[in-house]
Amino acid sequence: MAKELWKGNEAIAEAALRAGVEAYFGYPITPQTELLEYMAREMPKYPGRVFLQAESELAAVNMVYGAACGGVRTMSSSSSPGISLMSEGLSYIAGTELPAVLVDIMRGGPGLGNIQPSQSDYFQMTKSLGHGDYHALVLAPSTVQEAVDLTYESFELAEKYRTVVVILADGAIGQMMEPVELPPWRETLTEAQRPDWALRGAKGRPHRTLTSLNLTPEGLEQTNLRLQARLATVQRNEVRWEEEMTEDAELLLVAFGTMGRICKTALRAARRKGQKVGLLRPISLWPFPEQRLYELAGKTQHILVVEMNAGQMLLDVQAAVQGRAPIDFYGRMGGMIPLPDEINEQIDRLMAPPISQPELNQSGNGYHRHAAAAAVASRA
Amino acid sequence: MAKELWKGNEAIAEAALRAGVEAYFGYPITPQTELLEYMAREMPKYPGRVFLQAESELAAVNMVYGAACGGVRTMSSSSSPGISLMSEGLSYIAGTELPAVLVDIMRGGPGLGNIQPSQSDYFQMTKSLGHGDYHALVLAPSTVQEAVDLTYESFELAEKYRTVVVILADGAIGQMMEPVELPPWRETLTEAQRPDWALRGAKGRPHRTLTSLNLTPEGLEQTNLRLQARLATVQRNEVRWEEEMTEDAELLLVAFGTMGRICKTALRAARRKGQKVGLLRPISLWPFPEQRLYELAGKTQHILVVEMNAGQMLLDVQAAVQGRAPIDFYGRMGGMIPLPDEINEQIDRLMAPPISQPELNQSGNGYHRHAAAAAVASRA
Amino acid sequence: MHEEIIISGFGGQGALFAGQLLAYAGMDSGKHVTWIPSYGPEMRGGTAHCTVVISDEPIGSPMVRNPSAVIALNLPSLDKYEGLVKPGGVLVYNSSLIERTVARDDIRVTPAPANAISMEETAPLLEGKPGDARLANVVMLGALVQATGMLPLEAIEAALAAHLPQRHRRWLGPNGHALRRGASIAEAVAL
Amino acid sequence: MHEEIIISGFGGQGALFAGQLLAYAGMDSGKHVTWIPSYGPEMRGGTAHCTVVISDEPIGSPMVRNPSAVIALNLPSLDKYEGLVKPGGVLVYNSSLIERTVARDDIRVTPAPANAISMEETAPLLEGKPGDARLANVVMLGALVQATGMLPLEAIEAALAAHLPQRHRRWLGPNGHALRRGASIAEAVAL
Amino acid sequence: MTSIELAGYDVVYRRPEALVNTTTHYCPGCTHGLIHRLIAEVIDELGIGDRSILVAPVGCAVFAYNYFNVDGCEAPHGRAPAMATGLKRSQPDKIVFTYQGDGDLAAIGTNEIIHAAGRGENLTVIFVNNATYGMTGGQMAPTTLSGQVTTSSPYGRDVELVGAPMRVSELISTIPGATYVVRRSVHNVANINKTKAAIKTAFQVQMQGLGLSLVEVLSTCPTNWHMTPANALQWIEDAMIPVFPLGDYRIADAVVPLTKRTRGGQ
Amino acid sequence: MTSIELAGYDVVYRRPEALVNTTTHYCPGCTHGLIHRLIAEVIDELGIGDRSILVAPVGCAVFAYNYFNVDGCEAPHGRAPAMATGLKRSQPDKIVFTYQGDGDLAAIGTNEIIHAAGRGENLTVIFVNNATYGMTGGQMAPTTLSGQVTTSSPYGRDVELVGAPMRVSELISTIPGATYVVRRSVHNVANINKTKAAIKTAFQVQMQGLGLSLVEVLSTCPTNWHMTPANALQWIEDAMIPVFPLGDYRIADAVVPLTKRTRGGQ
Amino acid sequence: MARGTIVVDTNRCKGCELCTTVCPQQVLEMANSYNTRGYRPVLLVDPEGKCTGCTICAVICPDAVLTVYRLPAIAKAQRAPAAMALAA
Amino acid sequence: MARGTIVVDTNRCKGCELCTTVCPQQVLEMANSYNTRGYRPVLLVDPEGKCTGCTICAVICPDAVLTVYRLPAIAKAQRAPAAMALAA
Ligand SMILES: Cc1ncc(C[n+]2csc(CCOP(=O)(O)OP(=O)(O)O)c2C)c(N)n1
Ligand SMILES: Cc1ncc(C[n+]2csc(CCOP(=O)(O)OP(=O)(O)O)c2C)c(N)n1
Ligand code: SF4
Ligand code: SF4
Ligand code: SF4
Ligand code: SF4
Ligand code: SF4
Ligand code: SF4
Ligand SMILES: [Mg+2]
Ligand SMILES: [Mg+2]
């Protein structure tokens, strides 16, 4: 199939359609709105599929919850503030062990912030999409093609693990155009293919119940153990990452999504200068590629985490690296994006020993801090 | 002042009153409701103070936001699902750099879960109270007295750092009674004492604006840098923890809140058996006592993290320890509480080398996993 | 000293209040105390129990699996806690409602006909009506305090005087009687 | 090859569409391409610009600080990007709207009277009315493509034929003319 | 069903099939159970048990899904109409109904019910107004009466401070998409029967795809009202009905024939 | 003020003091700016600029706090009435008003406005109904007209699928705590003047502590309606007013004297 | 043989007494003993066979505890209006 | 001297043309030049002194661009009703 030029938001919507999404519920918010608008245009063309603009993100996530109870392929999309409003509903979906897909096209925060690209929902998405013990499977594309592929796959993953799958991208990926090869059309489920827990009317079988409530601690503990066991399987099976030139890397860049691809440009520039730089780009943010990072940390001299935020994935990196290599962080916030030249400046700085860096050092534009190992010990 | 026996929820409310809280907004939810009910009874006794039952947690947090804009001492309280509904509003409060106090009396999750004590909001509270780059100052009392003292202090901290301060306790602390010495009454602010950013009417001065919006990435980056700088100060000044018998500890327990005090009982039993066990009980969960833990990790053989959840503080422990000691985790979920005998069992297990433990090992009641160092390397 | 007491019964039998009395008495005697209620899955009714810890030391766990003393106000409570009392501990049960005996011989067991005593003590104030079981909890508490010796009986009496809600004031005398009668039963058993 | 192009102008001058044409043409010529729009703080109106990267290699950063080629459709765009063009790069500016000249001598500069050419090319289809500036973006694109040689002009023509929205179909011819005229200006400059 | 046969007698009343053969967790005399039974009877009579889906609320009726022999799920507090929308839009052949308390529907969830009504969702809403938050121990609800003492209005609801009781049927009936909006009560046998008829009509409105139907039912909370069950029924009549008048608040033209039919069919 | 004096002439109209001396970000011809000006004139006339606090919405008017010479803040999308409640309850001597669009008030924030009205909060709400989500690029709002094409109803709003346009004044006027609820328009000079009078009354209702006052103003969005500003005004008259009739939806008894006084005072 | 009778699902009765307040024949009383859930259940005390099988008790019972029986012939002739909807 | 006149804050005008559609004297026109924000501002073209200072243009202007002036005596006698509220 020939490549076509697609805008990220619309490509994700088209990929979901091809994956057989049957019900989309959402609410407009920049820089995600084209996704909703695409669904508004396209969904009505397919009989039996549903597009509905909800009155709010709170309603949208609960419409998804309802549709998911029926064993229907369903999704929503939003951007940072809208996602916050979904956290209660997402926690219910997790507690009820239902599949659902959510797209977050992140913008600058906190609060209303602005509509520029950002990665400041990393914590919200990977750590606590609401209250309670659970994680969503979080996938972070760095190109429009990858956004399409991951979205397409996300529905299967959601159904396989009865979990929420998040496509976590930033406004840059939502807004940019790139050549894309679209996946084939998938049929929607027939009645017979519906999962055996789905609420479809108690015809010829006992009635079914879907709930996240269990008043006995023993009972709720069982739910949680089931959930944790499933998440452990996800951690075994679904860790994804990309590596570039890590074999001989003396400095390892770690970055995801848009930041991951920007780091590639910096990496190439560094290599041209003879600097041995490598890149680990986590694709699954949860589960995080901690094992691989642990291994690489043992082989490199230094780690530089680059994010479009104040250092969120950084914590996962610190936990995975376990002191095997010093870690530095460079990030920008509020919709500012570290560009290759800034990253190369950081690389130059770090590759010119000896390193000695105050904890919070705001020089020039960016926000960098030395985050681990020796530095922690030397703090007041 | 003589000690009185107080129920946690009511003691927290009384402490807030004595700290001069002027406006309380909340919505009923178990196991926090007595706090709201106490406010309903007591607030009307003090002229000029406000109690209002909101139509929802969403409304409550935004009423707090409004009152906070006026430079008024204000607070809300809730429990896990209600807190999820507040995340957008809390992110706005943070983005607007306003002080506010929030009490979370955690219950079992995810979803509706149940009303039993739990610590499963750790991630939500310490990592991402909504979207965007910010942290609340999170304080975790382990006794009713400590809940009183921290609540009393929380208003000053909130005002000093223009931040949200969270009192994070579980249903056990909310429901239990303990002897308490109450702090003295503090006057509410006079008009002249109101902060210079407060919205009080533009009388004889230019009009003021409070907003979290900044459409330019450069501008929003400045807001974020200001926020991060303030958070860095908090990290320098406000780290709190308690230690017990850490000097010679070969096994270091790390636990917070109710779990922290329960661990003390286990610790004493272990010491009676001659086991060299110590305890680090983080009181400020954000900022986390990483520096102290890093130091202690260098002196101990083994770390055991115990939580009433699936292992959330565990991640902060891993990040702080940096591989200096192996870390094990023991937790229970859904309102189950690890009791001293279970903890002592874990201690016995870990203190009988050699340790060899599968990653997810659900034997008996509890949920334990071996979480770091060697184990990570040996994972598939 | 370090005592861990569980008091358990039907909702309405006053288990939680008896526990609070104990906690007040402990506090006023200069001890560290905790009182924590426990909710069953029932939304209303069902069983209610509380755990009280009284100690010379600051209290770690306010929850206990193996209490040093138990008051069982009804049969389900006895069934649940009989096996959990620490060896050497004390078990007081309401023999008015519980007909079976207790098998364990490594603990001290005190049956107390608490409902019967309460009926006798309450009847005078109920104007001709037969007495009721409202003081059963205090009878049991008297027996427990006496059996364990954890606190002087006077401490409980003082707590009663200080904390009996205003609207129940006229029941103070009968409460005192009930407490002493409970204590004397335990004394008899101990002899 | 690896080209990083920024096209910038007032909202409505067609900077974003010109960038898309370039991206389409690049893609259809077998290159890797990215196109990314950039929002100013203005909610409506204001300036609009986009960044296009065309490369033989998979593209890392779709954003650039120092483009290898710039189209400035108005003065604010020239002011902003003049200093950012990479040494050796190309700068095409709309001399119909910009009166000043460009100082840098380490880049190749092509002034193109794009509005004027557009007026001429559009007039015939506007039934008596004077022409308008709607084709200025394509004139500039022609000049840029010619000046850099990054792609054959035919690729842009094909992209135009494939992607001009249906409702603007009748403008295909004039667009082609405008493109060629832009190219010939660059050719002249290069000579 | 489990009811015994008695020789010589006809069974003239027995537990409906759609009601699960179990004991509810409701307090003695609480009319939540009664309203459940009426719904179950209607489901039996309409023969829709095998294609109905219940969305339970957060409130005392949180376990409602355990009591009906139909598929059921549990919404976050107040969000039942949104969940029901998701279910119904993706399974239009099903009969989807919510069962919601006054805290659930008239406080935290007002937005969801208003917009479900606004969109004319084909849903049936049973709205149980007991003037308090039963489940959390009797706090003030938007429907709490003026002067009523609750645990969060310990000095009585002060209308000056917190406004007058919220009248949900009046509010929803202004929305065209809500085609059947009535208020009923279960404080005596005659009204119980009228309530059942209204519930039946409400389901029929959905079966015919006519839009959102809502039956507000005045219900007791003996526990938090601190009354005997019988006194609680009396309180509905004496105190609640004057504030929440029974009646038909909206019967859209298309629905009128249904109300006639239901009455005729009794 | 900055307006120049002209020798021999009186100034009969000048920019109000309460309007900041700056250019707004609104599109040319957008009546958001006009409504701002009317509010500023009223604030000047009532002399309340030094004790007013504005709660701005999320919507095109998100920067409203930059345009008024009064203290101001910015609420999360839809939550302005809750924020205003927090402000007013803790500073009852202040005049607190919200300025909200139809997405903000009539979609995501319906719950907050209904319950602020329910509690009878002493707030003034300026509700700008332009039948679309202006800020996010013209999606369907609850107030979008039947058949109206928007970016999220590309085939025209289908009332069968998503219900009829939401009539906010009609809805809110059923709530006793909302004592002054009127709908006005700014499509011509006469109606602009009526709108201003209503805004003045609305503020006076708050100054007298009479409860929640809400002025719904039909407003244009030339950009997303794809019309010239003049045609947009015409479209209000031709298309919007028939669906959203202008008029007084609730004037509580206590408020009646105020409306008389305002009229007389002109 | 009485015209009607009822069967009480005793262990499901919560002793709320509502049925006793509405029975037109006053043939319902609360037991003095307790059922397995700790409630005093209702009893049919109808030595004179006064129960008409009118179903009123069952209509008001919040817990669907009661089954009502009626002799066939009489039942048809004397159906109380209140019970009609329920008998449908 | 005309009865009335207006001053246009030219750089703040967005060229929406609304004032031109309502001026009863038809003395407002759009300029052919652009202001600093890129809009064609409105111009008072009143060689015959027809402007009455009625304020109608100012009342409809969404951007508070216009200041309106009137000769004192005439102003009092001929105030247009539409302008009254605004002149208060
Ligand atoms: C988000 C959230 N907030 C609050 C609660 C606590 N809560 C549970 S039920 C309830 C109110 C129930 O009242 P109502 O809806 O009237 O039902 P009732 O119990 O009276 O039948 C509340 C506030 C919750 N579970 N979730
Ligand atoms: C929680 C949340 N959801 C969505 C948005 C995106 N958003 C910004 S403004 C807006 C709608 C504005 O429409 P309206 O209130 O009608 O105001 P208008 O722009 O038309 O004046 C939306 C959906 C947001 N900022 N926050
Ligand atoms: S608390 Fe009230 S509403 Fe809930 S079950 Fe008991 S009586 Fe019924
Ligand atoms: S988008 Fe519409 S509502 Fe927003 S400023 Fe422009 S014209 Fe006004
Ligand atoms: S059927 Fe009628 S007469 Fe018989 S017990 Fe019931 S109410 Fe009484
Ligand atoms: S109404 Fe039902 S629950 Fe109540 S006493 Fe009668 S049979 Fe028992
Ligand atoms: S004041 Fe009246 S006459 Fe003069 S320009 Fe304005 S509208 Fe025209
Ligand atoms: S109405 Fe105002 S903004 Fe519009 S053209 Fe006239 S002066 Fe300019
Ligand atoms: Mg209720
Ligand atoms: Mg709008």
Side-chain angles (χ1 to χ4, degrees), chain F residues 138-229:
Chain F
Q139 293 78 28
M140 185 181 75
T143 53
T144 292
L145 303 190
S146 171
Q148 187 180 337
V149 171
T150 72
T151 56
S152 65
S153 59
Y155 309 112
R157 181 185 183 130
D158 182 345
V159 170
E160 285 301 308
L161 277 178
V162 298
M166 171 83 54
R167 294 190 177 92
V168 168
S169 290
E170 285 81 340
L171 187 75
I172 302 293
S173 62
T174 64
I175 303 174
T179 52
Y180 182 71
V181 181
V182 301
R183 184 181 288 122
R184 297 290 185 264
S185 162
V186 289
H187 67 287
N188 60 29
V189 169
N191 279 284
I192 291 169
N193 288 333
K194 281 191 197 156
T195 300
K196 181 179 164 190
I199 292 172
K200 191 164 186 177
T201 304
F203 275 94
Q204 288 171 318
V205 167
Q206 180 178 173
M207 290 165 78
Q208 301 207 0
L210 299 177
L212 187 122
S213 48
L214 182 147
V215 181
E216 173 173 351
V217 186
L218 304 186
S219 180
T220 61
C221 178
T223 300
N224 290 303
W225 295 357
H226 306 290
M227 292 178 195
T228 64

Side-chain angles (χ1 to χ4, degrees), chain C residues 44, chain E residues 25-32 60-61 130 132-135 137 219-225:
Chain C
R44 305 248 157 347
Chain E
H25 68 292
Y26 299 116
C27 305
C30 173
T31 46
H32 265 308
C60 278
N130 60 8
T132 194
Y133 288 20
M135 191 193 211
S219 181
T220 62
C221 177
T223 299
N224 289 303
W225 295 357

Side-chain angles (χ1 to χ4, degrees), chain G residues 13-19 30 42 61-63 65-66:
Chain G
C13 175
K14 291 180 184 154
C16 75
E17 308 191 9
L18 288 179
C19 54
M30 302 318 289
V42 80
C61 174
D63 286 275
V65 170
L66 306 172

